[in-house]
Amino acid sequence: MKPRTKKQQMFVDMASQLPPLTDKQRNYPKEHIFSHTGYYWKGTGQVWCQYCGHIYKQDLNVLAVSLEVDEETCPHCGAHIKPKHWNESNRREKNEGVYMTIITTFKGYQVFRTFEAYRYNIKGQETVYTIFEVYQNWIDEKGNETILSKSYTRSPFHFRWNYHSDWGIQKHNSHATGSYAMDDVFDVTDNYFYPRMSVIPIIKRNGWQNCLAQLRGINMVELMKQLLSNSDIEMLAKTGQHDILRYWMRNGNHISRDRQFDFFHSIKIANRNHYIVKDASMWYDLLDALHFLNLDTHNAHYVCPADLKAAHDLYVGRVARIKAEEEKKRKEREALFCEDTY
């Protein structure tokens, strides 16, 4: 969609002012994301290096190749490659594509720049690497998001970017019908992230830390928006409750304190006792069981167990036995009623 307001045009203008990739950033997918594989034909003893495209002869242990425990050094490029069997005898090419996101800042905005990197391997030719920027997520200090994107076409059967088109304004666009589902094109959750990043000062103040390892698998754009607009998410980030934060983000970005079973008070008890929840899903199961048993979820004895799994199994087991007994009695009453009727 073409920019229609002055603010939208401002974002399009800023997109063209962002610096080009450095050589290190451009080579990152080649060095660290794409697998260093060498495809092996046991009949001819040839190894096809995917890193550079060179084919050389080498007799390898077939079992070691099958188990993928062997390693080779390509005599042409010197790359360490892991041999795999080539099981597609009728194909002469092996192409791969990945998305890489760089987290950076520009003129007071938090910017997620996403690139599509491709590796083209055609047998007998040198490997070709390409990388093009395809979309950007801009976040202001209030947590508002603006998406810029190159144009694209998609259907249930294909997806294709127009790399050389102009920047346009877009919206998140996941949807489903009774026949198929389409993912959100602008969701960075499953992208590879460039390890060097910068964030605006207010996000640092609100609890952001370079914690991609701890928070892998959640939408980092949505996380930063929540850090700027949601005090509960900010509290979880600052107190190191990363697994509860991940649990909240996966269950609708955040959980309202007004609901009975959110146990926000229990999180406060855990923080006061410097108790870090390692498995939020199991911890919430425990709190649900405590509530069912009318046990005090304000009490650190129950809320902060030294052995979470043992406490979980104990109280969840009690709930299961009570519910099983209730179900048994219900069926007995049902049977008596049916017997009297009969």
Side-chain angles (χ1 to χ4, degrees):
M1 183 178 75
K2 290 184 177 181
R4 295 180 178 177
T5 65
K6 288 184 178 179
K7 186 175 182 180
Q8 290 177 347
Q9 185 60 51
M10 177 192 72
F11 281 109
V12 172
D13 293 340
M14 288 194 297
S16 62
Q17 298 170 27
L18 289 169
L21 290 177
T22 64
D23 290 340
K24 195 170 183 180
Q25 291 170 332
R26 183 172 293 277
N27 289 326
Y28 186 79
K30 175 182 177 180
E31 302 293 340
H32 301 284
I33 298 179
F34 290 117
S35 60
H36 291 188
T37 303
Y39 286 107
Y40 178 63
W41 290 270
K42 63 181 179 180
T44 60
Q46 290 180 319
V47 180
W48 180 17
C49 175
Q50 297 295 285
Y51 188 81
C52 68
H54 182 68
I55 297 175
Y56 64 95
K57 294 200 73 172
Q58 181 75 25
D59 288 328
L60 300 177
N61 185 308
V62 175
L63 179 60
V65 175
S66 299
L67 297 175
E68 298 181 12
V69 296
D70 209 351
E71 191 174 271
E72 276 284 306
T73 300
C74 175
H76 183 260
C77 64
H80 296 288
I81 58 176
K82 196 170 280 290
K84 292 183 180 180
H85 288 293
W86 179 256
N87 296 317
E88 301 175 78
S89 57
N90 61 329
R91 290 185 57 192
R92 297 179 57 83
E93 61 181 50
K94 184 68 175 179
N95 303 325
E96 299 176 74
V98 297
Y99 287 107
M100 180 185 76
T101 297
I102 297 175
I103 302 176
T104 186
T105 60
F106 191 75
K107 293 187 177 181
Y109 288 90
Q110 188 65 55
V111 189
F112 287 72
R113 304 179 65 185
T114 298
F115 299 79
E116 185 179 46
Y118 238 89
R119 179 169 75 179
Y120 299 90
N121 272 307
I122 299 176
K123 190 176 179 183
Q125 298 183 20
E126 183 180 352
T127 301
V128 176
Y129 294 88
T130 63
I131 185 166
F132 292 97
E133 191 164 13
V134 289
Y135 67 88
Q136 301 167 354
N137 304 72
W138 293 71
I139 305 172
D140 66 19
E141 292 189 349
K142 295 182 179 179
N144 301 312
E145 180 185 9
T146 301
I147 299 172
L148 299 180
S149 164
K150 298 291 186 176
S151 64
Y152 62 90
T153 59
R154 72 167 174 173
S155 76
F157 312 105
H158 86 284
F159 186 95
R160 186 177 297 110
W161 290 102
N162 181 357
Y163 300 127
H164 304 293
S165 61
D166 295 330
W167 289 106
I169 304 297
Q170 297 286 354
K171 295 181 179 180
H172 290 291
N173 55 7
S174 61
H175 67 271
T177 69
S179 303
Y180 60 85
M182 287 191 178
D183 295 330
D184 183 359
V185 173
F186 311 110
D187 183 352
V188 302
T189 303
D190 296 322
N191 294 359
Y192 292 91
F193 287 90
Y194 186 71
R196 294 287 298 273
M197 67 184 71
S198 59
V199 297
I200 57 178
I202 190 172
I203 292 180
K204 284 185 181 178
R205 187 203 71 182
N206 287 7
W208 170 262
Q209 306 217 344
N210 191 1
C211 52
L212 289 180
Q214 295 95 321
L215 298 176
R216 181 69 67 185
I218 66 172
N219 190 325
M220 303 302 288
V221 171
E222 193 61 37
L223 172 60
M224 287 197 179
K225 287 166 60 180
Q226 292 294 327
L227 281 173
L228 292 167
S229 59
N230 188 320
S231 60
D232 295 343
I233 293 292
E234 180 183 344
M235 177 273 295
L236 291 173
K238 286 182 175 178
T239 55
Q241 298 287 9
H242 291 146
D243 211 73
I244 297 179
L245 174 55
R246 185 185 296 107
Y247 180 86
W248 280 27
M249 294 294 293
R250 287 177 176 173
N251 287 274
N253 301 332
H254 66 91
I255 299 176
S256 168
R257 290 193 223 173
D258 299 330
R259 289 172 45 199
Q260 174 64 34
F261 302 111
D262 290 338
F263 304 109
F264 195 81
H265 59 276
S266 300
I267 297 174
K268 290 183 176 180
I269 297 296
N271 287 335
R272 285 179 201 154
N273 287 271
H274 307 289
Y275 182 81
I276 300 298
V277 176
K278 301 296 185 184
D279 188 331
S281 179
M282 185 181 293
W283 191 66
Y284 271 97
D285 281 348
L286 169 63
L287 296 179
D288 282 330
L290 294 174
H291 180 82
F292 181 87
L293 297 168
N294 292 318
L295 296 174
D296 189 5
T297 54
H298 293 77
N299 190 328
H301 171 74
Y302 297 114
V303 173
C304 309
D307 188 334
L308 176 58
K309 186 177 186 308
H312 169 273
D313 292 347
L314 173 64
Y315 294 111
V316 171
R318 286 187 190 176
V319 171
R321 288 192 293 273
I322 292 172
K323 288 185 176 180
E325 187 64 29
E326 290 176 348
E327 180 66 11
K328 180 182 176 183
K329 290 179 179 178
R330 184 190 68 79
K331 288 183 177 180
E332 287 177 351
R333 289 194 300 270
E334 212 173 75
L336 287 172
F337 175 78
C338 291
E339 184 179 340
D340 291 343
T341 304
Y342 177 76

